[in-house]
Amino acid sequence: MKDQIWLIGFSGTGKSRLARPIAAALDWQAVDLDAVIEAREGDTITNILRTRGEAEFRRLEAQIVQETAAMGNIVVATGGGAVLAAANRDVMHRRGFVVCLDARPETILERINRPGGKISDRPLLAASDPLQRIVDLKAERQAFYNEADFIIQTDDLTPDQVTHQILTAFREQTAVAGTT
Ligand code: S3P
């Protein structure tokens, strides 16, 4: 049985928000990759990206992905770009049930502009037309997001509903896997 759930998807789709309740329902541990990087580096993701650049951030992210992949009974909230590296995708799929949280670009922009989710905290989305930037960046990554075992459209669902659907899909997959 798979003993990891990896939440992938673009910024603002609810990965960090949902890792905890999903983990709690399974009596597993929630891991937020960006939070682990911030704790380890003693710096914010925003600052790391601004001062050290994206390549260095991706190197740190890849390192944490590999370390996290060695753990069991975890629900992992990844950063939106964690799927870019093939090594990250491989390791997620090896032991994990991979869930893509999806949302329309308009929903994403509205969510990351909410208090606590400012677009300025995502330097990679900084642009004169943030909506177009989201559309373009999401399109570049969509093929990787589509590799997920389960994809859920979150626009019109509450966090509780998304949690419930992910748990149902995971348990169904587990039940099927258990019969083979
Ligand atoms: C990124 C998304 C962010 C964070 C970093 C890079 C991306 O995480 O990892 O700013 O490349 O899309 P969220 O998906 O939690 O916003």
Side-chain angles (χ1 to χ4, degrees):
M1 178 186 133
K2 295 204 160 172
D3 64 353
Q4 303 172 340
I5 295 177
W6 292 77
L7 304 180
I8 64 170
F10 206 79
S11 292
T13 52
K15 304 176 302 277
S16 298
R17 165 77 177 72
L18 292 168
R20 255 174 228 276
I22 297 167
L26 293 164
D27 210 9
W28 287 5
Q29 188 190 338
V31 179
D32 188 307
L33 296 184
D34 280 350
V36 175
I37 294 171
E38 291 190 332
R40 185 168 300 183
E41 297 302 308
D43 203 355
T44 61
I45 300 297
T46 313
N47 263 333
I48 295 170
L49 280 166
R50 287 215 179 107
T51 61
R52 294 156 68 180
E54 184 176 351
E56 172 63 6
F57 170 71
R58 296 292 172 213
R59 194 189 65 75
L60 296 169
E61 183 177 56
Q63 171 80 36
I64 304 290
V65 165
Q66 294 301 324
E67 288 177 25
T68 304
M71 300 163 67
N73 297 347
I74 47 165
V75 179
V76 188
T78 64
V83 294
L84 292 170
N88 293 352
R89 300 195 302 276
D90 287 350
V91 87
M92 289 178 202
H93 284 275
R94 195 173 310 146
R95 231 169 107 175
F97 182 67
V98 180
V99 175
C100 175
L101 302 182
D102 202 0
R104 289 186 294 271
E106 292 78 7
T107 306
I108 289 171
L109 182 61
E110 188 266 318
R111 286 181 184 163
I112 60 185
N113 272 326
R114 278 182 197 166
K118 297 190 309 294
I119 198 156
S120 58
D121 286 343
R122 269 104 170 177
L124 298 184
L125 298 184
S128 54
D129 184 346
L131 184 61
Q132 191 58 47
R133 173 76 177 144
I134 292 168
V135 169
D136 292 344
L137 203 53
K138 188 169 181 294
E140 271 175 33
R141 299 172 174 181
Q142 199 61 49
F144 299 140
Y145 294 145
N146 289 347
E147 289 176 7
D149 299 302
F150 180 64
I151 301 176
I152 179 160
Q153 203 65 33
T154 63
D155 300 86
D156 304 318
L157 299 177
T158 64
D160 276 358
Q161 288 171 323
V162 178
T163 300
H164 179 75
Q165 290 198 25
I166 291 172
L167 286 166
T168 303
F170 176 65
R171 288 182 174 128
E172 275 169 10
Q173 171 270 331
T174 303
V176 171
T179 61
T180 57

